[in-house]
């Protein structure tokens, strides 16, 4: 069996798994959006975070969710994913994550790292953070301009080094959001990151969502997209741990070549999230719409919501789009990623058909 036929066979199995998960979901990733406040104001932020916005539920409400999950799920299979805004701004961060660890949870975090002093790195070690993804979106001037925080690049790089020096974390990753203007900096940025003791570099394209919709000139062209995937594939062929993100079906040439897995959007079947207002939804990157709110932790038990609701997410996304239903790739793509779908026009904003395949 050649590589293409092997990929087809595996994608067939993924399609069968998707159908089973619609009937019997399997929670793996639970996101806590601790805050919408952030000390930066990134132009591409999917949640439109900025300084001074509110924090998420109080620590006791979050703890109640943890108690419920511990009772009804296998914690060996559940990863607690901490995000924001900048999660380190949450007032009760250490107490909440300490409680999570004491109750058997594994957790990781997404951060801009500008607040990670040596003391904060010690705190993260005390609370047994396992994984961390730090955003670096270009060289110094580009990063600071796009994130709206003077000195942000230098502070973030020092934060990363403080984590590395602590030698207490399983996986330290840098994530770079590539847009039409910073794409030319990938090679030079690689040279910088390659000299650091990182575990991986995640390179993802800017998505037409959140504030990024206000900057159409920054979105990627088809040539930009092809450049990114060839860049990642080239690095991986050299044995360098560079990955694309979870988004998008990429066709038979690129699937499994630019990341360690085949495409599957697990929103609502593998993934759930608690927003800052307590709303229970499938993925924090999905557009905030009333029909996607499945409950709220102030009045509903998370386990009840997970097992008895989420019907909105437990059907193929392609069922909403006539073009997707007619597509020859629908079996494997199933409509693509839910976070970049246009739910007013019922069509996918990002599709790599006729770009990559």
């Amino acid at each position: 069996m050649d590589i293409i036929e092997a990929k087809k066979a595996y994608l067939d199995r993924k399609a069968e798994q998707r159908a089973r998960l619609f009937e019997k979901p399997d929670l793996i990733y639970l996101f806590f959006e601790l805050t919408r406040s952030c000390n930066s104001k990134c132009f591409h932020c999917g949640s439109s975070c900025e300084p001074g916005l509110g924090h998420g539920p109080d620590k006791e409400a979050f703890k109640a969710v943890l108690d419920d999950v511990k009772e009804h799920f296998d914690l060996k299979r559940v990863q607690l994913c901490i995000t924001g805004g900048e999660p380190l701004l949450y007032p009760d961060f250490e107490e909440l994550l300490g409680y999570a660890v004491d109750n058997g949870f594994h957790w990781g975090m997404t951060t801009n790292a500008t607040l990670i002093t040596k003391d904060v790195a010690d705190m993260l070690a005390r609370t047994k953070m396992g994984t961390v993804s730090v955003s670096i979106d270009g060289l110094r001037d580009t990063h600071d301009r796009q994130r709206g925080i003077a000195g942000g690049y230098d502070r973030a790089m020092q934060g990363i080094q403080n984590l590395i020096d602590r030698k207490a974390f399983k996986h330290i990753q840098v994530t770079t959001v590539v847009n039409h203007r910073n794409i030319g900096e990938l090679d030079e940025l690689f040279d910088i990151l390659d000299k650091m003791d990182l575990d991986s570099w995640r390179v993802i394209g800017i998505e037409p969502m959140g504030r990024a919709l206000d900057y159409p000139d920054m979105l990627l062209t088809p040539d930009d997209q092809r450049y990114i995937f060839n860049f990642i594939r080239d690095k991986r062929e050299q044995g360098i741990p560079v990955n694309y993100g979870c988004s998008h079906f990429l066709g038979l040439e690129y699937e499994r070549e630019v990341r360690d897995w085949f495409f599957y959007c697990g929103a609502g079947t593998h993934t759930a999230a608690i927003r800052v207002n307590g709303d229970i939804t499938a993925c924090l990157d999905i557009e905030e719409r009333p029909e996607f709110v499945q409950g709220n932790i102030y009045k509903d038990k998370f386990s009840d919501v997970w097992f008895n609701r989420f019907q909105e997410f437990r059907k193929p996304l392609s069922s909403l789009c006539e073009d997707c239903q007619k597509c020859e790739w629908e079996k494997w793509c199933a409509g693509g990623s839910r976070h970049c779908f246009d739910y007013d026009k019922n069509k996918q904003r990002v599709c790599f058909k006729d770009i990559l395949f």
Side-chain angles (χ1 to χ4, degrees):
M1 180 182 294
D2 65 20
I3 186 64
I4 294 299
E5 291 305 313
K7 287 182 178 182
K8 289 180 178 179
Y10 193 87
L11 285 164
D12 281 344
R13 292 197 294 273
K14 291 292 288 186
E16 294 169 358
Q17 180 193 35
R18 181 189 301 112
R20 291 195 297 270
L21 285 168
F22 287 153
E23 298 298 323
K24 189 177 180 181
D26 180 20
L27 181 67
I28 297 177
Y29 303 107
L30 176 58
F31 284 80
F32 276 11
E33 186 180 46
L34 296 190
T35 181
R36 284 284 178 90
S37 187
C38 191
N39 58 338
S40 62
K41 188 177 179 179
C42 306
F43 87 91
H44 59 264
C45 181
S47 299
S48 299
C49 298
E50 60 183 81
L53 298 185
H55 299 308
D58 63 70
K59 61 187 177 185
E60 299 307 321
F62 272 133
K63 287 179 181 179
V65 175
L66 295 174
D67 292 342
D68 179 41
V69 172
K70 180 180 179 180
E71 180 180 354
H72 292 95
F73 297 85
D74 180 1
L75 295 192
K76 293 179 181 178
R77 294 185 54 76
V78 177
Q79 169 81 0
L80 185 61
C81 306
I82 302 302
T83 187
E86 172 48 56
L88 288 170
L89 293 173
Y90 185 71
D92 298 303
F93 184 96
E94 182 173 5
E95 180 180 345
L96 175 62
L97 274 304
Y99 183 86
V101 169
D102 288 345
N103 281 276
F105 284 84
H106 304 280
W107 72 278
M109 176 175 67
T110 300
T111 175
N112 62 35
T114 60
L115 303 178
I116 301 180
T117 62
K118 291 181 179 180
D119 287 343
V120 170
D122 288 343
M123 179 273 289
L124 294 172
R126 285 197 303 275
T127 52
K128 294 183 171 56
M129 180 179 73
T131 62
V132 61
S133 182
V134 177
S135 302
I136 299 291
D137 289 332
L139 303 178
R140 179 179 286 103
D141 290 346
T142 298
H143 175 91
D144 289 359
R145 182 176 61 253
Q146 293 183 173
R147 292 194 154 259
I149 178 171
Y153 176 90
D154 290 333
R155 288 163 58 191
M157 295 297 271
Q158 184 59 58
I160 294 170
Q161 193 59 53
N162 290 338
L163 293 170
I164 293 170
D165 291 344
R166 192 60 179 73
K167 301 184 185 303
F169 311 107
K170 294 179 181 178
H171 197 103
I172 300 173
Q173 177 187 78
V174 162
T175 293
T176 298
V177 179
V178 183
N179 60 67
H180 185 59
R181 293 187 185 175
N182 71 359
I183 192 169
E185 298 182 356
L186 281 179
D187 285 304
E188 194 172 348
L189 186 58
F190 168 77
D191 291 338
I192 294 170
L193 298 177
D194 192 41
K195 294 180 175 65
M196 304 175 72
D197 189 19
L198 298 169
D199 295 293
S200 66
W201 183 24
R202 186 171 67 135
V203 178
I204 59 178
I206 186 174
E207 300 281 14
M209 52 185 272
R211 265 200 299 261
L213 289 170
D214 297 328
Y215 299 88
D217 59 315
M218 301 287 275
L219 299 180
L220 296 166
T221 68
D223 285 343
D224 291 339
Q225 298 281 15
R226 286 187 286 267
Y227 180 87
I228 291 171
F229 292 114
N230 288 326
F231 174 88
I232 297 172
R233 182 166 61 179
D234 176 66
K235 292 293 184 285
R236 289 172 64 85
E237 287 175 350
Q238 298 174 50
I240 299 166
V242 182
N243 280 294
Y244 185 64
C246 62
S247 305
H248 312 304
F249 176 70
L250 306 177
L252 294 175
E253 181 180 352
Y254 289 95
E255 278 293 330
R256 195 57 173 81
E257 304 299 315
V258 296
R259 56 191 170 202
D260 298 335
W261 60 89
F262 287 84
F263 170 71
Y264 172 70
C265 181
T269 55
H270 279 327
T271 302
I274 312 298
R275 293 195 181 277
V276 290
N277 62 355
D279 282 348
I280 301 169
T281 188
C283 172
L284 293 172
D285 286 336
I286 296 175
E287 179 181 347
E288 293 187 57
R289 299 170 69 97
E291 64 265 34
F292 298 152
V293 177
Q294 304 303 297
N296 188 284
I297 63 172
Y298 286 112
K299 61 183 180 67
D300 302 300
K301 289 185 65 175
F302 172 81
S303 57
D304 289 342
V305 173
W306 177 259
F307 292 122
N308 299 308
R309 302 183 195 176
F310 276 91
Q311 287 80 11
E312 186 73 30
F313 300 99
R314 291 171 185 168
K315 59 185 178 183
L317 184 59
S318 53
S319 65
L320 302 178
C321 175
E322 291 186 12
D323 289 341
C324 289
Q325 293 169 34
K326 299 173 184 176
C327 179
E328 62 193 286
W329 304 92
E330 188 275 339
K331 179 180 181 181
W332 298 330
C333 177
S337 296
R338 292 180 181 271
H339 71 268
C340 54
F341 196 80
D342 188 327
Y343 294 93
D344 292 319
K345 298 180 180 179
N346 281 336
K347 61 183 297 185
Q348 185 59 251
R349 289 191 176 108
V350 179
C351 176
F352 285 111
K353 183 180 179 182
D354 299 326
I355 295 177
L356 298 182
F357 59 94

